[in-house]
Amino acid sequence: MGNDKATPFGGSVCARGGAGHSLLYDPQRIVKPLKRVGERGEGKWQEISWDEAYQTIASKLNQIKKDHGAEAVAFSSKSGSLSHHLFDLAKGYGSPNTFTHLTTCPGGYSIASTAMLGSKIKRDLGNSKYIVNFGHNLYEGINMSETRGMMKAQVEKGAKLVVFEPRFSIVADKADEWHPIKPGTDIAIALAMCHVLIKEDLYDKAFVERYVEGFDAFAKEVAQKTPEWAEQITDVKASDITRITREMAALAPAVCVDFGHRATFTTEEFELRRALFAANVLLGNIERKGGLFFGKKAKGYNKLAGEEVAPDLAKPGVNYPKITAPRIDQVDDQYYLLWSNGGIYQSILDATLDAKPYALKGWVISRSNPMQTMTDRARIEKAMKQLDFIVCCDVYISETAAFADIILPESTYLERDEEIADKSGKNPRYYVRQQVVDVIGDTRPSWQIWRELGIAMGLEQFYPWTNMDTLRMAQAKGDANFVNTVLEEGWVSYGKPLMLREKGMVAEFAATYANARKPDADGTYASALKFKTPTGKIELSSAKVESMAPGRGVIRYRDVKLKDDDQLFFIQGKVAIHTNAATHNIPMLSQLMSDNGVWIHPLTAGKLGIRSGDEIRVYNQTGSEVGTALVTPGIRPDTVFAYMGFGSKNKELQRAFNKGVHCGNLLPDVTSPVVGMNLHTTGVKVEKV
Ligand SMILES: Nc1nc2c(c(=O)[nH]1)N[C@H]1C(S)=C(S)[C@@H](COP(=O)(O)OP(=O)(O)OC[C@H]3O[C@@H](n4cnc5c(=O)[nH]c(N)nc54)[C@H](O)[C@@H]3O)O[C@H]1N2
Ligand SMILES: Nc1nc2c(c(=O)[nH]1)N[C@H]1C(S)=C(S)[C@@H](COP(=O)(O)OP(=O)(O)OC[C@H]3O[C@@H](n4cnc5c(=O)[nH]c(N)nc54)[C@H](O)[C@@H]3O)O[C@H]1N2
Ligand SMILES: [Mo]
């Protein structure tokens, strides 16, 4: 059961959440800190006490700091509720090198959005009348509120869904139209759509006039990007591109060109995601129902309301030392948008192997499994073997943890308390995760682990709070009432939903709060809509980007070669019953699915003499994997597909070991311009074993 107060989640949990008890009671979970006693990756461990673990880590990290500077240690964690505890430790220790999973997942769209719109933006799929989707598989790669939003739009509101996807995904299956696009070419369609909107005068001129900078340069760039041009590149018919664009324009602004999530399809992610945002901008759907909108956090919301409708969160006041060493990913100016925002995760490998720009000696990893989720597994193994010291915090001996010196066992989400988290949408919202069962074994939550380690390292001055109660109280600035409400309800929502350019919502908002901002003459808050870009406008073309990454100021099409002519495209995706490279050893989920058959088209399979169920080898310059063929017409003949996260090479994950193909072992290490993305599409050959 979910929390039925959390209306965007509809009181439900997903399959992975539903299997929480199966992880909780899994005898293969780690429940004691472990110390490596054999060679790296050999699988020889000794159980140790937390005290010994902290002392060992503290003395190693302090020694590295003394010999090489604190910057010689990288700290990485999948971003989320736990990550800042690790990053706070890094700040106290003095290393600038903190990394999230940004460049293996959302970096493409989030950096493109920041460059163009000034910050990240959200989708109002639930109110869309027409959704155009470029491989955002929300019915398998689940985001509870967006997945439910899209279902609502389709089922309750009769919205039309058009999907461009190289394979017949679940979203493609539930769509009104599926167009099997050639992998990595989506940008041509996005630009052709912009071309049609401008050429046929279907775009929102008043919106562009008021809010957009650099329209002329963009319009000039797309003047030749006709649907006929795009057809040659994408294999999608020009007449379809034109028709879909016209249909969308007729229903604007309640339409959404979905800008995707895992943005790793092509090296031209920066251009692709900007082109998708550009189509939305031309349709004038920003801050309109069914389009795109900015999250309304307490601070800005209260200002519009003229009163304190929602409490806002504070951080415990800590002054960290100033760090002068540059980050390891700060070598090239074009990546400036990443430096304060997650960083280029894979630069840890370059710094370790090539001392570029200086050598790393240590790596502290929490809740991340780069051995599976970064590219070129062999190179990661080499880097990990070269480091002096590695700490990994996980719930299993993951493939990555298998190469650590010390493994710290975290309590699972059912066993731990977390701080209050901001989940603001069209109005301010908060939630909190609370311990519901006793802790199993000798595990601890992240906040406690990194705090206690910090103290063992002599950094106690950075921890003015002592436990989750005092930390939550500091977040709430002493407002016990707020803390109690969030704890009692689990999910709290404040005020009325607001989109700045929706008259009805603005009228209701203004009528609710006596001191609210006065609506504009047209009944909206359009005058309050500002973009945090250098010009304060939506930068369809950007002088700032041009100065940091010459040639990239204007959104431009570039040819990309993702594979050799005699290879097949290799693409991946999420499956509904597993999470990334995290859940494949959980008993209940591994029973539901323990292998990832390789999708291959009947024509291609026929030429290679392959039938469904045959053992096949998938290989290229980077690696070779053995798996099982799944022959299906639901994929382009020039493409093969596998669900990610399978084929673990760590024996200790007994239920996942060697089951299926390991995607990271087939992907070369390639980094995209500006957004720093770790590319996930490559070429492979396939043969029957
Ligand atoms: N080839 C390929 N690579 C990909 C992708 C792809 O599609 N194809 N997808 C990319 C995407 S979208 C993402 S987001 C990244 C994700 O990549 P990662 O950042 O590596 O995250 P996960 O794979 O989710 O791995 C999380 C690790 O956390 C552990 N874990 C689970 N729960 C807890 C907990 O409560 N505490 C702690 N400390 N650990 C826990 C799990 O056992 C697992 O080892 O992978 C990316 N990599
Ligand atoms: N059940 C479940 N839900 C999840 C996750 C999970 O692991 N399991 N992970 C979460 C995370 S971290 C994320 S980032 C989201 C990811 O959600 P999505 O962004 O939807 O990510 P994927 O499923 O990795 O990829 C989506 C689709 O892109 C297609 N594709 C590949 N290359 C191309 C291309 O060049 N063009 C087009 N148009 N399509 C292409 C793939 O076939 C795949 O079906 O899901 C989240 N939700
Ligand atoms: Mo992701």
Side-chain angles (χ1 to χ4, degrees):
M1 275 287 288
N3 181 342
D4 52 18
K5 302 239 164 47
T7 44
F9 294 64
S12 315
V13 294
C14 69
R16 291 125 342 118
H21 66 284
S22 184
L23 164 62
L24 178 70
Y25 299 115
D26 182 3
Q28 287 182 31
R29 242 185 93 183
I30 39 168
V31 291
K32 281 284 276 179
L34 298 175
K35 181 173 138 184
R36 171 172 72 85
V37 287
E39 290 301 305
R40 278 239 171 88
E42 201 190 354
K44 293 198 176 138
W45 305 99
Q46 181 195 326
E47 290 189 350
I48 55 172
S49 68
W50 280 98
D51 262 352
E52 186 182 343
Y54 292 145
Q55 289 313 324
T56 310
I57 300 170
S59 88
K60 278 282 189 184
L61 293 186
N62 284 337
Q63 191 62 45
I64 293 178
K65 184 169 169 174
K66 206 162 138 235
D67 296 344
H68 309 280
E71 64 273 19
V73 179
F75 295 79
S76 72
S77 170
K78 188 161 194 283
S79 60
S81 59
L82 314 174
S83 50
H84 81 91
H85 292 292
L86 179 67
F87 298 156
D88 286 350
L89 178 75
K91 282 188 230 159
Y93 175 68
S95 173
N97 290 316
T98 57
F99 298 88
T100 69
H101 69 303
L102 184 77
T103 52
T104 65
C105 173
Y109 83 80
S110 69
I111 297 295
S113 183
T114 306
M116 261 179 83
L117 303 155
S119 55
K120 279 214 285 189
I121 196 160
K122 298 172 186 285
R123 296 166 267 247
D124 186 29
L125 293 172
N127 289 310
S128 274
K129 295 184 179 144
Y130 201 107
I131 301 167
V132 179
N133 178 301
F134 292 87
H136 185 195
N137 191 17
L138 274 169
Y139 294 150
E140 284 182 284
I142 293 168
N143 169 310
M144 286 293 276
S145 53
E146 292 195 314
T147 298
R148 293 179 62 85
M150 196 153 85
M151 281 164 60
K152 183 173 132 196
Q154 282 198 275
V155 178
E156 290 174 23
K157 305 205 164 171
K160 180 160 179 180
L161 174 64
V162 175
V163 172
F164 298 94
E165 240 288 4
R167 68 167 185 125
F168 197 53
S169 68
I170 305 283
V171 159
D173 171 55
K174 306 291 179 223
D176 298 277
E177 290 180 28
W178 169 49
H179 300 275
I181 188 176
K182 186 169 175 184
T185 66
D186 306 65
I187 182 175
I189 293 190
L191 293 177
M193 285 177 162
C194 293
H195 168 95
V196 173
L197 289 172
I198 295 171
K199 185 167 165 236
E200 301 190 0
D201 233 5
L202 298 172
Y203 71 102
D204 187 338
K205 273 189 251 23
F207 182 82
V208 167
E209 193 115 312
R210 179 162 188 182
Y211 294 104
V212 173
E213 173 76 25
F215 174 80
D216 293 342
F218 176 71
K220 191 168 158 235
E221 196 61 38
V222 298
Q224 309 304 320
K225 302 293 178 278
T226 61
E228 291 71 25
W229 164 81
E231 175 173 336
Q232 298 303 313
I233 294 167
T234 61
D235 293 345
V236 177
K237 275 208 235 123
S239 56
D240 285 331
I241 300 172
T242 306
R243 174 184 51 79
I244 291 162
T245 310
R246 288 176 185 157
E247 287 174 3
M248 217 173 19
L251 293 171
V255 297
C256 185
V257 180
D258 191 332
F259 48 81
H261 190 150
R262 177 176 60 94
T264 57
F265 299 166
T266 160
T267 41
E268 289 301 314
E269 281 298 330
F270 187 52
E271 310 298 335
L272 164 58
R273 304 297 155 177
R274 281 196 301 172
L276 295 174
F277 286 121
N280 286 293
V281 167
L282 294 180
L283 290 160
N285 69 359
I286 313 290
E287 292 289 329
R288 295 300 305 268
K289 274 190 183 170
L292 307 184
F293 67 100
F294 293 105
K296 306 285 180 295
K297 292 196 180 208
K299 222 166 144 204
Y301 191 91
N302 291 342
K303 209 167 148 203
L304 287 171
E307 65 181 84
E308 173 110 355
V309 178
D312 67 327
L313 294 181
K315 287 193 181 129
V318 178
N319 287 319
Y320 290 104
K322 196 170 157 44
I323 298 171
T324 48
R327 292 175 55 91
I328 49 173
D329 55 5
Q330 232 160 345
V331 185
D332 193 334
D333 281 350
Q334 67 175 303
Y335 300 115
Y336 73 103
L337 291 159
L338 287 127
W339 297 337
S340 58
N341 197 6
I344 304 180
Y345 197 2
Q346 64 277 19
S347 68
I348 289 176
L349 306 180
D350 306 319
T352 303
L353 292 169
D354 313 325
K356 222 173 68 187
Y358 51 80
L360 279 184
K361 299 290 171 187
W363 189 358
V364 184
I365 308 167
S366 184
R367 201 198 165 203
S368 184
N369 190 9
M371 256 318 174
Q372 277 258 2
T373 57
M374 241 185 232
T375 54
D376 196 348
R377 186 192 181 282
R379 188 161 180 257
I380 302 168
E381 183 167 332
K382 193 170 160 212
M384 290 190 86
K385 285 187 167 156
Q386 195 162 313
L387 284 165
D388 289 349
F389 189 60
I390 301 168
V391 179
C392 202
C393 173
D394 207 293
V395 292
Y396 281 112
I397 302 180
S398 71
E399 208 172 318
T400 305
F403 285 81
D405 297 286
I406 302 278
I407 306 180
L408 302 174
E410 171 141 39
S411 307
T412 68
Y413 75 94
L414 295 170
E415 303 162 281
R416 68 183 182 230
D417 281 317
E418 293 182 10
E419 51 267 74
I420 303 166
D422 195 315
K423 194 77 182 165
S424 297
K426 289 169 208 148
N427 53 303
R429 304 182 303 201
Y430 299 103
Y431 75 92
V432 71
R433 199 174 248 170
Q434 297 172 76
Q435 182 175 355
V436 292
V437 293
D438 288 341
V439 169
I440 291 194
D442 198 3
T443 66
R444 292 180 185 176
S446 268
W447 64 263
Q448 187 182 353
I449 296 173
W450 304 120
R451 180 179 180 278
E452 288 173 345
L453 176 60
I455 291 169
M457 287 163 70
L459 305 172
E460 51 270 67
Q461 74 265 36
F462 303 118
Y463 294 91
W465 49 278
T466 48
N467 57 32
M468 196 39 76
D469 292 336
T470 48
L471 183 53
R472 284 174 181 154
M473 202 53 89
Q475 282 189 291
K477 293 178 280 191
D479 182 349
N481 199 21
F482 171 40
V483 175
N484 289 337
T485 310
V486 189
L487 290 180
E488 223 156 87
E489 311 273 315
W491 171 280
V492 211
S493 177
Y494 294 89
K496 307 219 170 249
L498 178 65
M499 296 176 105
L500 298 178
R501 297 177 61 240
E502 272 303 329
K503 276 185 211 165
M505 284 174 154
V506 170
E508 213 179 316
F509 182 89
T512 308
Y513 308 111
N515 299 316
R517 180 190 178 106
K518 200 166 155 285
D520 300 344
D522 66 357
T524 73
Y525 281 153
S527 59
L529 179 56
K530 299 263 157 39
F531 301 88
K532 293 181 199 129
T533 56
T535 56
K537 291 190 158 193
I538 296 171
E539 300 197 345
L540 260 188
S541 311
S542 160
K544 170 87 179 168
V545 170
E546 184 64 36
S547 72
M548 304 300 264
R552 301 226 168 232
V554 181
I555 303 170
R556 183 163 296 153
Y557 176 83
R558 291 174 181 79
D559 272 324
V560 172
K561 186 172 153 61
L562 295 170
K563 67 169 187 72
D564 293 340
D565 290 343
D566 59 352
Q567 290 179 318
L568 300 164
F569 288 106
F570 175 53
I571 61 170
Q572 304 98 55
K574 314 291 178 202
V575 67
I577 50 180
H578 281 292
T579 298
N580 301 335
T583 57
H584 301 69
N585 203 56
I586 295 177
M588 197 172 146
L589 299 179
S590 100
Q591 255 170 33
L592 286 172
M593 181 178 183
S594 62
D595 200 341
N596 58 350
V598 178
W599 295 32
I600 183 165
H601 191 273
L603 287 175
T604 315
K607 277 188 212 148
L608 298 165
I610 292 169
R611 290 161 176 267
S612 245
D614 280 354
E615 194 167 88
I616 55 170
R617 196 164 80 89
V618 184
Y619 63 100
N620 60 15
Q621 306 87 323
T622 307
S624 170
E625 288 288 308
V626 172
T628 312
L630 195 150
V631 179
T632 164
I635 189 158
R636 289 172 57 94
D638 62 359
T639 305
V640 290
F641 168 88
Y643 287 115
M644 71 161 299
F646 291 83
S648 174
K649 299 196 186 294
N650 178 22
K651 289 192 288 302
E652 284 150 307
L653 297 173
Q654 291 166 26
R655 303 180 198 95
F657 176 60
N658 235 350
K659 301 246 173 69
V661 298
H662 184 298
C663 299
N665 195 35
L666 291 166
L667 298 172
D669 173 49
V670 179
T671 294
S672 311
V674 189
V675 287
M677 294 305 291
N678 199 201
L679 181 64
H680 290 166
T681 300
T682 192
V684 292
K685 286 188 178 179
V686 176
E687 65 185 26
K688 198 172 156 170
V689 175

